[in-house]
Amino acid sequence: MNFLRGVMGGPSAGPQPSGAETIQKLCDRVASSTLLDDRRDAVRALKSLSKKYRLEVGIQAMEHLIHVLQTDRSDSEIIGYALDTLYNVISNDLEEEEQEENLPKQVDDLGSQFTEIFIKQQENVTLLLTLVEEFDFHVRWPGVKLLTSLLKQQGPQVQQIILVSPMGVSRLMDLLADSREVIRNDGVLLLQQLTKSNAAIQKIVAFENAFERLLDIITEEGNSDGGIVVEDCLLLLQNLLKNNNSNQNFFKEGSYIQRMKPWFEVGDDNCGWSAQKVTNLHLMLQLVRVLVSPTNPPGATSSCQKAMFHCGLLQQLCTILMATGVPADILTETINTVSEVIRGCQMNQDYFASVNAPSNPPRPAIVVLLMSMVNERQPFVLRCAVLYCFQCFLYKNQKGQGEIVSTLLPSTIDATGNSVSAGQLLCGGLFSTDSLSNWCAAVALAHALQENATLKEQLLRVQLATSIGNPPVSLLQQCTNILSQGSKVQTRVGLLMLLCTWLSNCSIAVTHFLHNPANVPFLTGQIAENLGEEEQLVQGLCALLLGISIYYNDNSLENYRKEKLKQLIEKRIGRENFIEKLGFISKHELYSRAAQKPQPSFSSPDHMMFDHEFTKLVKELEGVISKAIYKSSEEDKKEEEVKKTLEQHDNIVTHYKKVIREQDQELEELKQRINTLTSQNEQLQATVTQQVSQIQQHKDQYNLLKVQLGKDTQHHNSHSDTFQMNGIQTEEVSKLKEELEEWKNKHELLQGQLKEKDSVIEKLKSSQLEMGTTEQSSQTSKSGGLELNNELQKELEMLRSQIQLQSAEISKLQIENQKLQVMNTTADPVLADGRVAAVNNSESEGQLEQEIKELKSEVKALSEEKETLKQHLDSSSSTVAILQDEKSKLQQEVAESKKEQDDLLVLLADQDQKLSALKIKLKDLGVPVEDEDDIESGDQGDEDEDGDEEEQD
């Protein structure tokens, strides 16, 4: 311990050893000491020296420290000291006072070299991953910091080691679930370094539920109002999603886009925009843009755009866009974000067109943004963002293009002047004194005409009042007038891009342009001059505009036919000189920058020269214009004739294709109709089968009822017989002894009762006769119930015989009653039994009558149901016959249509032979002719693109 006191700076009598010697002694102590306390003290001393003597500790102690990590795992304290020492040696995050004379490059090299030594043995990184799993704070936290530093120094190598290590990434994901915020936050920093530029690790981290955990942390920290932890989580999310289509799809499918909406609920007051909140919100907006970037696959971008609309995220962004008090950089990034959320998505573009600013009176958001774009006092980046937003709003949006152009047409301009329209703002910017406003307005108007020939023709109707007393001039003429006035280069470039876009693929616009006699001399004069480097760009655009005027010329103006314009170029400029000037555009540095991505991003206003969509137009037209310039008049005539012939043949082919398509549609409709009728036939057959089975079921039920009715009758008869016998035998014996004395007093009562019984018997006999007559009538009227009526007659005969037996018994009882009158001392109980039997007989007769009535009603209902089922069966069979007739007719029609189609195919084959013969003649004449397969494949590609656009919409 005295040695350690000397090392740690305690008082010593002798000379002090140097730092290198002290470190060497400490390393020997770590390597040779058997006591854990001695080794722990030595490692702690190395830790204290590691910042000041970084190089010496790294060279001499690294091997010993790694050995400590391997052997002393049971003691968390020494492990923590060792990890801290290694972190101080490897990390470049030194404090300012400790850097002193070391240059940053030397520091970086030192950390990188020590990292390379450490990871040379892959087991060291695996050991470190194992230590990070420990829950002890003094082990886990320095382990996380050391691993983060290793990734900073040698990222790809350490990433590969972790990737091949079993469960390596999963172990590190557990850091996000640590309850200690320090470890959790440093775990986020570690994952940031781990996921940089490694798609495989990004996918593993994403599927380890990283999105859920990171979004939970952002919510817990207060979303955009949170601290630097929110910033770190957002940076990690960007690493996981940027340029990773798999993770983007997983993020969308997991419904995590919906959880982004609360981030942008910033409130109405918008006060207290701290620097951290601005940073957080900026990163959140960038994260939205990562999901809808134009560089992503179109399908993935479209699905994310739709999800953002349905969850209300786009609406929330538009709220920030129209809010007051929002910082300029947040507003600019919000505009860029909204731009990419609506780009190419018709649903989102329609919603954006309906957004109004909270002003009095309310104005459309597009108008408010355009006011900022043409206002020279607004920041440059904000104006660029508004231009990008306007371009995205019009991208593949013919409806929006039409609405913008309609605000310029005479019939739709507000005569009262109460409101400013988008078209008026664009015209104002186009002719203002600010060159940047001129350029932005020209590019915006060009996007309103992009790939829309109808609007190009309609824009020719726009008339402008230049000054009081002078007649109005067209918008096209005013643009050329400003060009000839020698304005700034930026203004002329913008106007020339607008004119090139306007005239391309629109012969009527070319005719209007050439109709002004001053335009062609101006263009030839600009191209022929030898001007400075700045003017070369204008010369190239003038050459492009003149080339468009030749290529899309329909020769409707005699003085400006294609041949005359080419002769003019030959005399005034020279063909080689013209092609050279035309090539100035694509060779320009600013052209290459603009062609890279759709968003206009310029370092300064002076660099704002080219638009992304215009670079596509140049690439498309440069080659065809060069070929058109070198063609002779004879070649032009032949080409015109060939074009006319091809157009005629194309029209014929198109006509036959249309006929074939119509017949195909008819065939499809007939097939569908046949399928429908077949399905209906099958349904009707199934219904008939079901009804037949129901009829069979009713027949079975009918037979069961008949059998059940016979059993019930037999059971009732046997029951009544047993009841009478038992009554006579049992009650005769019991009541003889009990009621002998009472019969004398009840003699008169019995005589009255006997009279009543006689009358009941007479009624039963008369009812039996009536039932017999009804049975006979029912037999004549209902032939289907003969068997049931025969059984009922048998039952009635049995009832009659039973009644006769009962009447005989009653007569016996009367005789015995007379004997009782003679014999005063004794009484015969048979009278009482006769009374009970008579009462029981009357009750049984009533029940039988009721059952007979119920059975008759059931027979009647069953016969009626049978008749209805027969009628339903007859109607179903007739329907099936009708359907079969229709099916045979349809088959005949299909055969006839197939015959017609074969005739058309023969005609097409003849036309194709003629067409191929003409092409051969043209090729012999030296005229380049496109193959029909190329044309059809191009047409098919256009149709597929249109179909994709409709599906996306």
Side-chain angles (χ1 to χ4, degrees), residues 121-160:
Q121 299 294 328
Q122 294 188 7
E123 295 81 5
N124 296 339
V125 180
T126 306
L127 174 63
L128 191 55
L129 289 173
T130 307
L131 293 173
V132 168
E133 281 188 291
E134 298 288 338
F135 186 75
D136 193 311
F137 180 83
H138 298 289
V139 176
R140 195 172 208 183
W141 187 39
V144 170
K145 292 194 296 181
L146 176 57
L147 192 55
T148 305
S149 182
L150 292 174
L151 285 164
K152 285 181 180 178
Q153 301 295 337
Q154 298 286 341
Q157 293 87 338
V158 180
Q159 285 175 343
Q160 193 61 32

Side-chain angles (χ1 to χ4, degrees), residues 476-477 480-481 512-524:
L476 184 66
Q477 184 59 47
T480 56
N481 291 341
H512 278 71
F513 178 76
L514 296 176
H515 194 268
N516 185 353
N519 289 338
V520 174
F522 168 74
L523 292 178
T524 54

Side-chain angles (χ1 to χ4, degrees), residues 456-702:
K456 291 177 182 179
E457 295 176 9
Q458 289 185 4
L459 200 64
L460 295 171
R461 296 164 45 201
V462 177
Q463 299 290 320
L464 301 175
T466 55
S467 59
I468 300 174
N470 293 330
V473 296
S474 67
L475 177 61
L476 184 66
Q477 184 59 47
Q478 185 64 16
C479 291
T480 56
N481 291 341
I482 295 174
L483 274 177
S484 60
Q485 292 172 4
S487 52
K488 294 182 179 179
V489 173
Q490 192 174 43
T491 301
R492 284 182 287 163
V493 168
L495 290 172
L496 286 167
M497 286 195 298
L498 171 60
L499 290 173
C500 289
T501 305
W502 194 348
L503 269 60
S504 64
N505 204 20
C506 184
S507 299
I508 299 175
V510 171
T511 304
H512 278 71
F513 178 76
L514 296 176
H515 194 268
N516 185 353
N519 289 338
V520 174
F522 168 74
L523 292 178
T524 54
Q526 288 285 318
I527 300 169
E529 291 182 10
N530 292 321
L531 303 174
E533 189 174 343
E534 293 182 357
E535 294 292 332
Q536 286 183 352
L537 190 55
V538 177
Q539 286 183 314
L541 291 171
C542 288
L544 179 64
L545 183 58
L546 186 57
I548 290 172
S549 301
I550 295 173
Y551 186 73
Y552 292 105
N553 192 343
D554 59 358
N555 293 328
S556 58
L557 294 176
E558 185 62 30
N559 294 331
Y560 295 103
R561 297 173 64 85
K562 286 186 177 181
E563 184 58 32
K564 291 187 177 181
L565 289 175
K566 286 192 281 189
Q567 290 175 1
L568 185 66
I569 291 175
E570 180 68 27
K571 292 178 181 178
R572 299 262 183 102
I573 305 168
R575 292 180 182 177
E576 291 78 9
N577 191 23
F578 179 86
I579 299 301
E580 182 184 357
K581 297 291 177 68
L582 183 63
F584 284 164
I585 303 174
S586 56
K587 294 177 182 178
H588 203 280
E589 180 185 359
L590 298 177
Y591 174 90
S592 302
R593 290 184 188 176
Q596 292 176 359
K597 59 180 180 178
Q599 182 182 0
S601 56
F602 305 99
S603 57
S604 67
D606 297 335
H607 293 163
M608 211 168 186
M609 288 293 176
F610 285 108
D611 172 58
H612 178 74
E613 292 297 326
F614 181 74
T615 60
K616 295 181 181 178
L617 182 67
V618 173
K619 188 176 180 181
E620 176 186 349
L621 294 178
E622 187 176 6
V624 295
I625 289 174
S626 300
K627 292 179 182 178
I629 294 298
Y630 281 102
K631 285 181 181 177
S632 64
S633 59
E634 294 180 357
E635 290 176 344
D636 283 338
K637 288 179 182 179
K638 290 179 182 179
E639 186 177 353
E640 289 294 332
E641 292 176 359
V642 171
K643 281 185 178 179
K644 289 179 180 179
T645 309
L646 289 174
E647 285 178 1
Q648 291 176 357
H649 286 288
D650 288 341
N651 292 334
I652 295 171
V653 172
T654 305
H655 172 70
Y656 282 122
K657 284 182 179 179
K658 184 178 179 182
V659 172
I660 292 172
R661 285 195 193 99
E662 291 175 354
Q663 290 185 347
D664 287 339
Q665 290 177 358
E666 291 177 0
L667 283 172
E668 288 297 327
E669 291 175 359
L670 290 172
K671 287 179 181 178
Q672 291 177 0
R673 191 176 175 187
I674 289 171
N675 293 332
T676 305
L677 292 173
T678 306
S679 62
Q680 289 179 357
N681 189 13
E682 292 175 354
Q683 291 176 0
L684 289 172
Q685 287 179 353
T687 306
V688 170
T689 307
Q690 186 178 2
Q691 289 175 353
V692 170
S693 65
Q694 288 179 355
I695 291 170
Q696 187 62 38
Q697 289 177 2
H698 287 305
K699 285 182 180 179
D700 296 340
Q701 291 177 0
Y702 179 71

